[in-house]
Amino acid sequence: MAAAVVGGGMRRKLQERVPLRRTALLADFVVLFLFVALLARRVAGLDGGGAAWRVALACEAWFAFVWLLNMNAKWNPVRFDTYPENLAERGSIDELLAVDMFVTTADPVLEPPMVTVNTVLSLLAVDYPAADEKLACYVHDDACSPLTCYALREAASFARLWVPFCRRHGVAVRAPFRYFSSTPELGTAGGNEFLDDWAFIKREYEKLVRRVEDADESTLLRQGDGEFFAEFMDVERTNHPAIVKILWDNSKSRAGERFPHLIYVSREKSPSHHHYYKAGAMNVLARVSAVMTNAPITLNVDCDMFANNPQVVLHAMCVLLGFDDEIYSGFVQAPRKLYGTLKDDPFGTQQEVIYKTLGSGMAGIWCTFYNGSGCFHRRKAIYGATPNSSIGARREGTTDSLPPKEFENKFGSSEELKESITSILSGNLPVEPIVDISCRVEAAKEVATCKYESGTRWGREVGWVYGSMTEDILTGQRIHAAGWRSVLLETEPPAFMCAAPIGGPACLTQFKRWATGLFEIIISRNNPILMTVFRRLRLRQCLSYLSIYAWPVRGFIELCYALLPPYCILTNQSFLPKAPQDVFGIPLALFLTYNTYSYMEYKKCGLSVHAWWNNHKMQRITSASAWLLGFLTVLLKTVGLSEAVFEVTPKEKITSDGNGGGNDDDDDDKVDLDLGRFTFDASPVFIPVTALAMLNILAVAAGAWRACFGTAQDDLPGVSEFMACGWMLLCFLPFVRGLVGKGRYGIPWSVKLKASLLVAMFVLLCRGK
């Protein structure tokens, strides 16, 4: 698979696929054996088990199925090592592919402009030969905010100082807010000259931060550059024409200032057209960049995800160019790494173990998922082409092509776009880049209109796929179903870093959005099973996707299982074997083995037992809240009773000293906070877990009362149900504290009232049995 011979000699490899040792294989089968033993005992006792026994059988069968899916995903883990220093052997920079870099932002309040500015500056400063000719950065602003556009224009001006400074001194971290968060070491190469340079650039950055944070939208529109902001006058966020502005054209720059193009894009919006959230924005960026720079590779990052490794594009190129067959690198995904994280991951947002276990295992079957950001795509794969195909629009003298009418029906009517797509699909890319991109602005606006996609296959067979809030997973699945494979890009230092959601509302909002999108895929025509039967998605890839798509369904299943202990206590039944019985050891052994196995995975990843417990606790909370609500949201949407709403996760504000600050709404928020404690608001996402916490407290109290004061004739449930309720209360401890907490650490009364009504309904149901 690796390219080898050049000019009669061996060429040093650019990448290497390294198999990793699978140490937990025996433990996998032990857990599976215990699941089978438990299910066999359930089936044998169905006749006298009752309704709780049958519900337990269904839930435990689901858990066993999910365990099998995870075993498949983890079976043969691999790592890809990259060697960017070997790229120099290729002799000419012409072999290095051009890259169009996409940044998306949706809300200038939840995603402050300075967050986007730092991301953009880090991308403009990456190391790449002839970066000014081969790289271009496009920022899509879904809010059509003049503040964001102004901030990016100011960032372009600052980049004239920042980019040469980074290259001159070999700066390691090229997002200014992170770089200036610490002082340089006194022994830094360059001595006083470097320190003077560092102090000057930091002062200029602080000026940039003040200008951006002090900017006011109305002032910009009234007193700013009238011609520059004219297109923003009288626009509404959901009703405005397409805006494309070239904020930096490197062809017009002076010597020593050359860095990638910077283009601001805000697609046209109209109340009469669905805009398809981020997927729609990404398709606009794909088309706009195609008519302006048309790089064969694209990189997309979120507005809070900066380039942490300055050689990240070179590392990606090692994979993209490191195979003889392009099928092995349809896209290259960097793992999600967070900055600003709290010790021991109290909110379960880092997902480090998932990326190291499931991630490396999926890389072993060439099925690394597209995670929505930090991903390099072949533009050819985005256009829906199959690997090694060279099909374009039919021209005179060609046969391997689509008829012009079919080509237009697939991609749209823009002549400039059709020409650029033809060059990508045919592989006949121009040697020289477009010199004057300003002549393509009107063509870019044409492909950014609402009506452009009407009657085409954008959002279905071409581009980012519509129909799910997790458009990233769905788009990656479409690319895999076309026959492409994908690679996990792990570098040291990490390729990209993004902001960690902090607090209960922020992390659960993100998890709910993911669960909603994943369940939308399961019940759609894009189901991976159908992709395996009718397309080219391989069986193990299908099973790997199902292991992730199971999350929202797991929320409903885990809720049913979590209700069994209090139900049995309140109705004097049992769904778990009692201690004197021989089979009591099976569920106990499964419980202990599974949790020991889980802890050992965390220990292997260098994490503490406290981190393991926090993640285990948050999995139970997330399952009963975010995953469950995502599941119910899609069900209600399917029957026409609700509509899924895309919720933007708030990003931390970037301050001039490089630290993150919270989004303060009032004076009470400005006091020092214990960021590790769970915070609450009136969101419905907190209702199910609050109800479960109340219910388990009630069940333990009722069972204890009956055990102490009941008659000898009472058919009491076994100790297992009490242990299960106690374990659930430990997992829901943040909510138990929240029931008596105050302020943002206390559960609002509106949530407690709704949860109490659910508990009352459940108790009435139990009394009716």
Side-chain angles (χ1 to χ4, degrees), residues 159-213:
R160 298 169 65 180
L161 302 172
W162 174 247
V163 175
F165 170 78
C166 291
R167 292 173 179 168
R168 191 163 56 246
H169 298 291
V171 171
V173 179
R174 301 191 178 181
F177 86 102
R178 294 288 287 179
Y179 179 70
F180 291 121
S181 63
S182 60
T183 56
E185 297 180 6
L186 295 179
T188 303
N192 293 334
E193 180 183 352
F194 165 75
L195 294 177
D196 292 342
D197 211 2
W198 183 91
F200 169 73
I201 298 297
K202 183 178 182 181
R203 286 195 300 271
E204 293 301 311
Y205 174 67
E206 291 170 345
K207 292 177 184 177
L208 168 68
V209 173
R210 287 194 293 271
R211 288 197 302 272
V212 171
E213 293 187 343

Side-chain angles (χ1 to χ4, degrees), residues 97 104 114 118 140 148-149 161 242 256 259 263 284 286 330 374 396 424 456 474 480 486 551 632 655 719 746 760:
L97 303 176
T104 52
M114 272 312 300
N118 273 276
H140 186 277
T148 300
C149 189
L161 302 172
F259 53 85
I263 298 100
V284 167
E396 186 176 352
I424 291 292
T456 70
L474 183 54
H480 284 134
S486 56
W551 287 0
L632 295 177
T655 60
V719 70

Side-chain angles (χ1 to χ4, degrees), residues 12-258:
R12 296 171 67 189
K13 56 191 174 186
L14 299 179
Q15 57 78 28
E16 182 178 13
R17 187 173 186 263
V18 181
L20 301 177
R21 184 184 177 189
R22 185 79 173 92
T23 57
L25 190 60
L26 178 61
D28 284 334
F29 282 102
V30 169
V31 173
L32 181 62
F33 171 78
L34 291 172
F35 266 123
V36 172
L38 180 60
L39 292 175
R41 176 66 182 88
R42 290 285 183 202
V43 172
L46 272 180
D47 292 340
W53 194 269
R54 288 189 288 272
V55 171
L57 171 62
C59 293
E60 289 159 358
W62 170 263
F63 297 148
F65 172 67
V66 171
W67 185 258
L68 279 171
L69 294 179
N70 287 331
M71 283 181 64
N72 163 74
K74 298 177 181 178
W75 192 259
N76 53 332
V78 302
R79 180 187 74 243
F80 286 89
D81 292 338
T82 50
Y83 308 102
E85 63 276 9
N86 294 345
L87 285 167
E89 287 190 2
R90 293 183 174 257
S92 172
I93 62 173
D94 293 337
E95 284 196 48
L96 294 181
L97 303 176
V99 180
D100 286 337
M101 304 179 289
F102 302 156
V103 181
T104 52
T105 181
D107 191 310
V109 176
L110 297 178
E111 300 173 335
M114 272 312 300
V115 174
T116 306
V117 162
N118 273 276
T119 296
V120 169
L121 288 172
S122 73
L123 294 175
L124 296 179
V126 294
D127 291 332
Y128 203 64
D132 55 318
E133 297 179 0
K134 291 186 172 289
L135 302 181
C137 183
Y138 295 81
V139 182
H140 186 277
D141 174 21
D142 223 26
C144 193
S145 168
L147 287 174
T148 300
C149 189
Y150 168 77
L152 292 171
R153 187 179 70 167
E154 295 299 303
S157 178
F158 174 71
R160 298 169 65 180
L161 302 172
W162 174 247
V163 175
F165 170 78
C166 291
R167 292 173 179 168
R168 191 163 56 246
H169 298 291
V171 171
V173 179
R174 301 191 178 181
F177 86 102
R178 294 288 287 179
Y179 179 70
F180 291 121
S181 63
S182 60
T183 56
E185 297 180 6
L186 295 179
T188 303
N192 293 334
E193 180 183 352
F194 165 75
L195 294 177
D196 292 342
D197 211 2
W198 183 91
F200 169 73
I201 298 297
K202 183 178 182 181
R203 286 195 300 271
E204 293 301 311
Y205 174 67
E206 291 170 345
K207 292 177 184 177
L208 168 68
V209 173
R210 287 194 293 271
R211 288 197 302 272
V212 171
E213 293 187 343
D214 293 344
D216 175 76
E217 182 173 319
S218 59
T219 303
L220 286 176
L221 296 178
R222 288 196 319 268
Q223 303 175 8
D225 186 337
E227 182 179 353
F228 183 83
F229 291 106
E231 293 178 272
F232 292 96
M233 296 295 293
D234 301 321
V235 301
E236 299 177 12
R237 180 169 178 172
T238 58
N239 188 16
H240 60 81
I243 299 176
V244 178
K245 289 188 174 295
I246 301 174
L247 303 179
W248 179 260
D249 184 347
N250 59 42
S251 66
K252 297 179 174 61
S253 59
R254 295 177 298 192
E257 293 180 347
R258 298 179 69 84

Side-chain angles (χ1 to χ4, degrees), residues 706-768:
R706 191 181 297 116
C708 294
F709 302 103
T711 64
Q713 289 76 25
D714 285 342
D715 184 17
L716 298 177
V719 70
S720 303
E721 282 76 17
F722 286 96
M723 292 173 59
C725 285
W727 182 257
M728 292 305 298
L729 284 175
L730 284 176
C731 293
F732 295 152
L733 192 57
F735 284 76
V736 175
R737 291 174 176 167
L739 289 172
V740 295
K742 296 181 179 180
R744 64 171 60 207
Y745 299 123
I747 299 173
W749 278 104
S750 60
V751 173
K752 288 193 247 187
L753 177 60
K754 295 170 185 175
S756 299
L757 291 175
L758 291 177
V759 172
M761 293 171 60
F762 185 83
V763 172
L764 288 175
L765 175 65
C766 293
R767 291 188 63 184

Side-chain angles (χ1 to χ4, degrees), residues 309-527:
N309 187 327
Q311 291 194 321
V312 58
V313 183
L314 292 172
H315 282 283
M317 212 54 59
C318 288
V319 179
L320 293 165
L321 299 176
F323 296 103
D324 291 330
D325 194 338
E326 66 181 14
I327 187 175
Y328 291 100
S329 54
F331 62 86
V332 180
Q333 175 68 61
R336 179 173 173 264
K337 299 288 186 178
L338 304 178
Y339 69 85
T341 56
L342 302 175
K343 183 180 179 182
D344 294 326
D345 193 15
F347 301 108
T349 56
Q350 297 178 32
Q351 299 181 321
E352 187 173 346
V353 174
I354 290 179
Y355 277 102
K356 287 187 177 180
T357 55
L358 285 178
S360 60
M362 291 171 182
I365 54 175
W366 305 95
C367 189
T368 296
F369 291 167
Y370 170 35
N371 294 331
S373 57
C375 187
F376 295 82
H377 284 95
R378 290 188 184 273
R379 194 182 285 268
K380 184 177 179 179
I382 292 175
Y383 290 155
T386 56
N388 303 315
S389 65
S390 58
I391 299 177
R394 179 172 294 166
R395 293 182 176 179
E396 186 176 352
T398 66
T399 56
D400 188 20
S401 57
L402 293 173
K405 187 63 177 177
E406 185 177 345
F407 194 85
E408 182 172 318
N409 289 339
K410 186 173 184 177
F411 297 106
S413 58
S414 167
E415 293 300 326
E416 292 85 353
L417 181 60
K418 287 190 286 186
E419 180 182 354
S420 71
I421 292 175
T422 299
S423 67
I424 291 292
L425 297 182
S426 64
N428 298 321
L429 297 173
V431 177
E432 297 295 331
I434 298 174
V435 176
D436 185 10
I437 62 173
S438 60
C439 66
R440 296 298 187 101
V441 170
E442 292 306 316
K445 290 182 179 179
E446 177 189 351
V447 298
T449 59
C450 293
K451 296 181 180 179
Y452 187 81
E453 293 183 353
S454 299
T456 70
R457 297 175 195 173
W458 283 95
R460 292 177 294 168
E461 301 174 20
V462 180
W464 277 256
V465 183
Y466 303 150
S468 170
M469 285 192 183
T470 51
E471 76 294 322
D472 47 1
I473 294 286
L474 183 54
T475 301
Q477 179 186 283
R478 177 186 65 78
I479 294 173
H480 284 134
W484 296 94
R485 301 181 186 183
S486 56
V487 173
L488 183 66
L489 180 67
E490 295 186 273
T491 64
E492 187 57 43
F496 300 96
M497 301 289 285
C498 63
I502 295 177
C507 63
L508 291 183
T509 294
Q510 187 177 72
F511 287 132
K512 177 178 176 289
R513 185 172 72 243
W514 291 346
T516 301
L518 294 174
F519 194 52
E520 286 173 328
I521 298 173
I522 292 178
I523 63 174
S524 73
R525 60 185 177 86
N526 295 308
N527 186 293

Side-chain angles (χ1 to χ4, degrees), residues 289-309:
S289 64
V291 301
M292 298 189 79
T293 49
N294 200 34
I297 304 298
T298 68
L299 161 67
N300 81 280
V301 299
D302 289 339
C303 65
D304 64 329
M305 191 174 195
F306 64 87
N308 184 64
N309 187 327

Side-chain angles (χ1 to χ4, degrees), residues 5-10:
V5 181
V6 174
M10 288 298 284

